[in-house]
Amino acid sequence: MHQNPKSEFPELAGENLEIWNINAAWWDDRIGDGNDFQTYLIEPATERLLAISLGDQILDIACGAGRFARRMAELGGRVIAIDQSAAFIERARTRTSKQSRTEYHIADAANRDRMLTFGVGRFDKAVCTMALMDLPQIEPLLQVLKQLLKPTGTFVFSVMHPCFHTPAIQRFTEMYEEESGRPTVRSGVKVFSYLTPFARKTEGILGQPKPQLYFHRPLHVLLQSCFDAGFVIEWMGRTRSAES
């Protein structure tokens, strides 16, 4: 486990890119068309927050194989979708029709000069869907986003809850007897190392070709990085299933 109280891990950027280029096609084969987690939890909440209007210029950061980029284009957005993994961008371009209002680019989100080539003050909205925990550095991205977005622009991101879902937690199931004498099974998680940022390998999908790097940032570190870049919170909450 690599620990860094400043929450940035530039020394792991090369290894991280190598891992995602290896895993990209395997991941896309399994969830490129979506899964329940995306369809019922993440994407509906993200769409509500983005509130896409026809013609909105949108930057999709760490777009993977482009599923949500295509969805935003269907909703009327004009999407610039970026990912550092050439393997993911190749898959995204293959999956996207020529009529789609979506452009794909290979770009490192932590490279300020590269990001500025997409246009200062160009974007109405930016989104990073379930990927900030996959990025070795987020502070350069947040800083440059303030230049890429229009003054009234919005940045929407989603992450796994950094307290209860990290490679450092331990899941448990135990059986005990209640006062009535009936046996009861209880499951839960034990939380470790929440307050300290770290990088650790894990499997996002069981059986993937190579374990990926997970960059843990507690909520106060993640949000402070946003505040330092000049962002304010407009809404924060948990996703809700269709049944809740």
Side-chain angles (χ1 to χ4, degrees):
M1 181 187 297
H2 300 257
Q3 291 189 341
N4 183 347
K6 295 183 179 179
S7 79
E8 301 290 275
F9 301 86
E11 71 279 5
L12 297 177
E15 181 183 3
N16 193 56
L17 176 57
E18 177 186 358
I19 289 170
W20 281 112
N21 276 328
I22 291 170
N23 287 337
W26 192 93
W27 265 59
D28 185 42
D29 287 342
R30 280 150 185 81
I31 64 169
D33 293 320
N35 56 20
D36 287 349
F37 181 70
Q38 294 169 301
T39 302
Y40 297 113
L41 294 178
I42 302 302
E43 292 175 359
T46 304
E47 289 177 23
R48 287 196 300 271
L49 291 172
L50 285 171
I52 295 170
S53 298
L54 184 64
D56 274 349
Q57 296 282 337
I58 306 172
L59 178 64
D60 186 1
I61 301 147
C63 67
R67 170 184 162 85
F68 194 59
R70 292 187 290 276
R71 172 60 179 163
M72 291 188 290
E74 291 173 359
L75 293 172
R78 304 190 68 87
V79 183
I80 300 294
I82 68 167
D83 201 287
Q84 193 179 11
S85 168
F88 262 140
I89 292 298
E90 181 181 356
R91 281 292 182 116
R93 288 171 175 162
T94 300
R95 282 182 169 273
T96 305
S97 71
K98 293 181 179 180
Q99 289 71 42
S100 175
R101 294 184 294 270
T102 309
E103 295 179 22
Y104 295 102
H105 298 270
I106 300 169
D108 178 1
N111 186 321
R112 177 180 178 277
D113 291 340
R114 175 69 173 109
M115 294 295 286
L116 288 175
T117 65
F118 297 117
V120 173
R122 174 180 181 179
F123 296 99
D124 300 285
K125 286 146 190 179
V127 63
C128 186
T129 306
M130 299 302 294
L132 287 183
M133 60 276 193
D134 298 324
L135 301 181
Q137 299 179 85
I138 62 169
E139 290 179 3
L141 166 63
L142 294 169
Q143 293 290 337
V144 80
L145 271 180
K146 288 299 293 182
Q147 295 179 265
L148 298 174
L149 286 166
K150 295 176 181 178
T152 57
T154 298
F155 175 44
V156 176
F157 68 86
S158 53
V159 295
M160 302 299 292
H161 197 298
C163 183
F164 304 110
H165 201 293
T166 77
I169 68 165
Q170 295 181 10
R171 299 170 179 85
F172 70 88
T173 301
E174 59 188 17
M175 179 179 288
Y176 65 97
E177 289 188 1
E178 296 180 329
E179 291 185 8
S180 64
R182 298 290 187 183
T184 299
V185 175
R186 177 171 59 188
S187 299
V189 297
K190 297 178 181 179
V191 177
F192 296 91
S193 305
Y194 170 68
L195 293 176
T196 303
F198 63 80
R200 181 170 171 173
K201 287 186 176 177
T202 187
E203 286 190 335
I205 303 176
L206 294 178
Q208 65 188 57
K210 195 165 184 177
Q212 70 203 62
L213 283 161
Y214 178 99
F215 300 95
H216 169 71
R217 300 172 179 100
L219 282 176
H220 71 277
V221 171
L222 179 61
L223 295 178
Q224 189 62 53
S225 296
C226 296
F227 299 150
D228 290 345
F231 286 97
V232 297
I233 293 177
E234 187 170 286
W235 188 90
M236 181 174 72
R238 65 180 181 86
T239 55
R240 296 175 295 178
S241 67
E243 291 78 20
S244 64

